[in-house]
Amino acid sequence: MRRGRRLMTSNVLEVLMPQPRSANLPLLGARTIVAVLALLLLAAAAVPAAPGSSGRSVGAESASAAADEAALGALPAPYSGGDYLLVHASVGVEGAASYLLQAAYRGIPIYGSYLSLDRPAGSEELIPRGEPRALPEAELSALNTTPSLTESEAIAMYKAELARKLGGPIGSSPVDGDVPAPKASLVIYSFGGIAHLAYETELRFTLPELGDWVGWIDAHTGLLIDEINRISGMNAIAAASASGSTSGATSVQAAAAPIGWGKGYNGAQQSFYISSEKSTGKPTIYQLIDTTRPAAIKTLDFRKPSKSKTRPEGYEYIASTAKTFADTAAVDAHVNAKRVYLFYKNRFGRNSLDDKNMDILSFVHIDSKTMRDNAVWTGWAMYYGEATGLANGGANCTSCALDLVAHEMTHAVTQYTVGLEYRGQSGALNESISDIMASVMDSDDWEIGEDTGAASRSLADPAKYGQPASMSEYVDLPVDEKHDNGGVHVNSGIPNHAAYLTALKIDNADFGLKGRDTLGRLTYVLLRDRLLSPTASFQDARDAYIVAASRLSGLTDAQKSKLASLVSAAWQAVGIGNSTNLIDN
């Protein structure tokens, strides 16, 4: 599709969904989208107008719906026999709408082939952003789209492949609790110039190592086509073996939660909610479990696996016989998890990391070669390695730095929203978004991890830690584990610096907005409204931030226009310029 082409659309979604929302919609063909919108319009006609409404008539909406049907129906098919699938739709409080479509062939989604459509508030114009990834028609026409293998067979084959790679059977110990189940879905995956019908297969496990992998298994031959390690591009840890169980009747306190105290690594006394457990004939035990909110915050000791039914996560909770806790690593992990939860809840109304009130689990005291001096989000929980100390070439602590914890937990928010793939530019954006939100939460400076004694990145000065600050310095690396999945921790310096410059330009412009706060709002809107596809490039991110500028509530049109110009200038300064007609540079 030619960039900048404008398509007409109706305001039917604005009428039906006047409050900000972000819906996960079923995958639907473009012509099905039109039919759905038409049905929604008929339903809207039966809804009486609200007092003080704009007074748009049903007849006017019908005319807009006709234009909308013509526009969506006129979307050129990406391929002969192809269509678009609706991945996501979002509508803001002021009526701006965005749609993420994925190209498909014979109903099967094509990996990495996305098209975004945006409708500004108050407009009836639908503006394409980006282009679907093109595959040669000859590749597709020769493709057998009927799989020879089932999803279960693909999962089994990928498990066998990873077992050979990692040196042991893939799975989870009985003590490891609710590790997400494997899943596989059909996609068309182009690799080495050949289109494959493949199962995109996701495996999360604790044996023989802690793992979060995605692999593409040929749906006819069962061969592994490609794969990604999604745990920060690093090797994982060995899971502890089960030992012992808790006996005796127990009861967990359900009344008002007690308050505990403890010092973190920096020596500051902190207070936090805890839970108590009483076993028959034994003293009360206090645990680092905060159940005062819909999403519980639990901190567990990785050194102490448990088979007890009262420990569904598979490990003992950090515990004390008094309401004071001396485990500094656990106190820091517990308090910082709460702080990140409250940041997203209070600032953006987000209900935990998945926006569905998932519990936040933190496992501390992981003492393995690959996890020492590290903190990682595994796809379902936080894991903190033991710190070896700055004097030994490591870090002084791993859970003590709010920005480090915020960075890792923001990977979870990204996972549950835009789902950026962890390799190449999309992987660098994944890292950058975590750095950006970490810098918004920990606003003392623009560095990441300085409280551990071993800072690793600076948004203000990427070169300080060996990162590029502009596209002229981009480091082109092979996309494999040995090279950081294509340099995701290296090239993140470029969007990081664009973000820093955005905040700086906002502050210097003096037009009623605060730079760091506005940067956080822009980034969250980008995530919430899914303005990026999973395989987004730096250019896509620049365009998405400009669209996000038009979505911020409480701003005048003049402020939105000024903000979009500043965002554009910041990205231009790092060598990423205009690719669409979203804004005039």
Side-chain angles (χ1 to χ4, degrees):
M1 179 176 293
R2 180 167 52 88
R3 285 193 177 106
R5 178 181 177 187
R6 294 172 180 263
L7 305 173
M8 300 300 293
T9 184
S10 74
N11 293 323
V12 63
L13 290 179
E14 179 183 346
V15 173
L16 295 174
M17 298 187 288
Q19 300 301 317
R21 63 184 298 169
S22 180
N24 289 318
L25 301 179
L27 297 178
L28 303 171
R31 299 183 191 283
T32 308
I33 297 172
V34 175
V36 170
L37 290 175
L39 290 172
L40 290 175
L41 180 62
L42 291 175
V47 179
S53 67
S54 62
R56 285 194 300 263
S57 68
V58 172
E61 289 298 340
S62 297
S64 295
D68 187 48
E69 181 173 352
L72 290 175
L75 279 175
Y79 305 98
S80 176
D83 208 339
Y84 285 106
L85 309 176
L86 178 60
V87 177
H88 183 77
S90 64
V91 180
V93 66
E94 296 177 347
S98 290
Y99 307 92
L100 179 62
L101 308 179
Q102 185 171 12
Y105 180 68
R106 296 180 183 173
I108 301 170
I110 298 173
Y111 169 84
S113 187
Y114 294 94
L115 173 66
S116 295
L117 300 170
D118 301 304
R119 175 167 54 78
S123 173
E124 292 188 348
E125 293 180 317
L126 199 62
I127 306 172
R129 173 165 48 87
E131 292 181 347
R133 178 185 181 187
L135 292 182
E137 292 278 354
E139 279 191 45
L140 293 174
S141 61
L143 185 65
N144 179 358
T145 55
T146 302
S148 303
L149 304 175
T150 65
E151 294 176 4
S152 297
E153 288 171 330
I155 289 170
M157 289 177 174
Y158 191 34
K159 281 186 174 181
E161 184 68 29
L162 276 180
R164 287 190 289 270
K165 179 186 181 77
L166 301 179
I170 302 300
S172 298
S173 168
V175 304
D176 283 326
D178 296 328
V179 177
K183 59 182 180 180
S185 57
L186 275 178
V187 297
I188 293 173
Y189 191 84
S190 181
F191 187 78
I194 300 174
H196 299 263
L197 182 68
Y199 282 105
E200 185 172 287
T201 308
E202 297 182 67
L203 297 180
R204 294 186 171 110
F205 48 88
T206 60
L207 296 173
E209 300 177 346
L210 189 65
D212 181 7
W213 290 75
V214 57
W216 288 267
I217 300 294
D218 191 295
H220 296 298
T221 67
L223 296 177
L224 176 65
I225 302 167
D226 199 7
E227 65 181 346
I228 307 172
N229 178 359
R230 298 190 294 198
I231 299 186
S232 300
M234 58 175 285
N235 291 327
I237 60 173
S241 59
S243 64
S245 62
T246 302
S247 60
T250 62
S251 62
V252 178
Q253 176 173 313
I259 295 176
W261 291 269
K263 293 181 180 180
Y265 174 79
N266 66 7
Q269 182 85 317
Q270 305 189 71
S271 62
F272 37 83
Y273 287 113
I274 56 177
S275 296
S276 62
E277 183 179 73
K278 177 70 175 177
S279 298
T280 304
K282 295 182 180 180
T284 299
I285 297 296
Y286 297 96
Q287 302 163 328
L288 288 187
I289 305 175
D290 179 353
T291 58
T292 61
R293 304 173 185 89
I297 297 173
K298 304 178 181 181
T299 306
L300 303 99
D301 193 335
F302 197 77
R303 300 169 300 186
K304 299 178 180 179
S306 172
K307 292 183 179 179
S308 170
K309 292 182 179 180
T310 65
R311 305 292 186 268
E313 299 83 10
Y315 292 84
E316 292 291 341
Y317 305 118
I318 296 294
S320 173
T321 55
K323 294 180 182 179
T324 55
F325 290 78
D327 188 330
T328 58
V331 167
D332 281 331
H334 196 65
V335 170
N336 282 329
K338 177 194 71 174
R339 293 172 72 183
V340 175
Y341 168 88
L342 289 176
F343 170 82
Y344 279 107
K345 179 64 175 177
N346 295 339
R347 294 284 289 276
F348 305 117
R350 188 171 186 83
N351 297 309
S352 192
L353 303 177
D354 65 346
D355 206 22
K356 296 179 180 178
N357 287 315
M358 71 179 293
D359 290 348
I360 298 175
L361 308 181
S362 300
F363 294 84
V364 296
H365 299 306
I366 303 170
D367 191 14
S368 68
K369 183 178 180 180
T370 56
M371 270 299 295
R372 290 177 193 134
D373 302 309
N374 273 303
V376 298
W377 168 256
T378 63
W380 69 90
M382 284 295 303
Y383 285 74
Y384 296 95
E386 297 284 32
T388 61
L390 193 62
N392 298 314
N396 290 330
C397 52
T398 58
S399 58
C400 64
L402 173 61
D403 55 9
L404 184 62
V405 177
H407 171 101
E408 292 301 329
M409 290 176 67
T410 296
H411 278 311
V413 178
T414 298
Q415 172 186 326
Y416 287 107
T417 53
V418 293
L420 285 166
E421 190 172 89
Y422 202 69
R423 60 178 170 181
Q425 289 194 12
S426 60
L429 286 171
N430 197 324
E431 283 295 318
S432 179
I433 286 171
S434 281
D435 281 350
I436 291 167
M437 295 306 270
S439 295
V440 173
M441 284 183 241
D442 182 3
S443 58
D444 292 341
D445 51 47
W446 290 96
E447 297 206 346
I448 303 296
E450 71 281 1
D451 290 339
T452 69
S456 56
R457 291 180 295 281
S458 168
L459 281 70
D461 182 14
K464 183 177 180 180
Y465 299 103
Q467 286 190 301
S470 71
M471 288 302 291
S472 63
E473 302 167 342
Y474 186 87
V475 182
D476 194 4
L477 294 171
V479 182
D480 56 32
E481 275 194 277
K482 183 179 179 181
H483 297 91
D484 189 33
N485 284 353
V488 299
H489 291 95
V490 177
N491 292 314
S492 59
I494 298 170
N496 272 1
H497 197 53
Y500 165 76
L501 292 176
T502 297
L504 184 65
K505 288 177 181 294
I506 292 170
D507 284 333
N508 290 341
D510 191 23
F511 67 118
L513 300 179
K514 294 181 179 179
R516 199 182 297 249
D517 174 72
T518 303
L519 175 63
R521 293 179 65 194
L522 287 169
T523 304
Y524 187 72
V525 166
L526 179 148
L527 294 172
R528 182 199 68 194
D529 292 355
R530 298 195 186 185
L531 300 181
L532 292 176
S533 76
T535 54
S537 67
F538 290 174
Q539 180 68 57
D540 294 331
R542 176 263 185 196
D543 292 349
Y545 267 103
I546 290 174
V547 172
S550 70
R551 295 289 188 89
L552 296 195
S553 60
L555 273 62
T556 66
D557 289 343
Q559 285 177 314
K560 290 179 180 179
S561 178
K562 179 66 174 178
L563 179 57
S565 295
L566 295 174
V567 169
S568 178
W571 284 83
Q572 185 76 46
V574 301
I576 301 171
N578 189 34
S579 71
T580 72
N581 60 357
L582 292 169
I583 189 170
D584 294 327
N585 281 328

